[in-house]
Amino acid sequence: MNYKKVFLASMALALIFFGCQAGKQGISEEELGLRKSTLFNEEANIQAFDYEDAKAAGESTLLQRSFENAPPLISHSVEGLLPITKENNSCTSCHLPEIAEAVGAISMPKSHFYNFRTHKDLKEKMDENRFNCVACHVPQVNAEPLVKNNFSPEFRQKDGVSKSNLLDVLNEGVK
């Protein structure tokens, strides 16, 4: 048996072990992402931006979508509307199609009334998987980007900056 190889392998393993132990302090979960708060606590109050200027529903200027069929930003304050649950969803009280026009809100698109798993049109019934609005929609804020972004969207329809046609184009190019 070659004792020199065994000795070198043992030393390499010791260096790796002690090297890993030396860096145990590492990065905390609060330092890990851009939002600088815990990733593991659902009750955390994430205050990345100053929402003091958030306006009431119907009073703000809508920003255009980030890209074609992107979820639109929430243009009003969400204070008192969160958390959203299946049993308590204040968003639907204004954004369901049969209500939206009457109150001057933006109507939920057809894609929210379609079950993508079963490929069924649910007609007037919202897909139960769509209840958590803030999973896709976030409040709009006037903030500088955290990282440089050169992306420039191209909308194929002139109303694409404010309307979704996702169901119409979802399988575009798929055979």
Side-chain angles (χ1 to χ4, degrees):
M1 184 169 215
N2 189 341
Y3 291 108
K4 187 175 181 180
K5 286 183 181 178
V6 171
F7 175 75
L8 288 174
S10 299
M11 291 304 291
L13 287 173
L15 282 171
I16 290 170
F17 175 77
F18 289 115
C20 290
Q21 296 300 316
K24 276 279 191 197
Q25 294 167 351
I27 297 173
S28 73
E29 64 186 51
E30 286 82 11
E31 298 171 302
L32 191 59
L34 294 174
R35 70 183 196 176
K36 306 297 182 225
S37 75
T38 181
L39 303 174
F40 301 106
N41 182 356
E42 300 258 345
E43 301 301 318
N45 184 7
I46 301 165
Q47 197 70 27
F49 301 105
D50 181 11
Y51 293 108
E52 297 288 323
D53 294 333
K55 300 196 182 331
E59 294 181 5
S60 58
T61 304
L62 296 176
L63 297 178
Q64 77 175 34
R65 292 173 188 244
S66 300
F67 52 88
E68 186 173 307
N69 288 309
L73 299 172
I74 301 170
S75 62
H76 55 78
S77 171
V78 293
E79 189 173 339
L81 303 177
L82 303 175
I84 296 171
T85 65
K86 282 185 182 180
E87 295 76 29
N88 183 23
N89 183 335
S90 298
C91 303
T92 57
S93 62
C94 290
H95 294 283
L96 282 173
E98 61 271 15
I99 300 169
E101 188 176 347
V103 298
I106 297 194
S107 177
M108 293 166 33
K110 292 185 291 185
S111 60
H112 288 52
F113 303 92
Y114 185 86
N115 186 315
F116 288 97
R117 291 182 181 148
T118 61
H119 305 286
K120 290 186 179 174
D121 184 354
L122 303 173
K123 308 288 183 221
E124 307 295 319
K125 184 177 177 231
M126 187 174 82
D127 181 13
E128 64 182 31
N129 296 308
R130 299 287 192 137
F131 81 91
N132 188 9
C133 307
V134 293
C136 299
H137 304 277
V138 297
Q140 66 185 28
V141 295
N142 187 14
E144 290 297 316
L146 295 172
V147 294
K148 184 179 178 183
N149 183 357
N150 294 325
F151 177 77
S152 179
E154 292 182 17
F155 296 95
R156 295 180 288 177
Q157 296 179 316
K158 66 178 180 178
D159 63 351
V161 298
S162 61
K163 295 208 182 294
S164 171
N165 68 340
L166 183 63
L167 278 184
D168 300 331
V169 299
L170 186 62
N171 291 319
E172 207 170 74
V174 177
K175 292 182 181 183

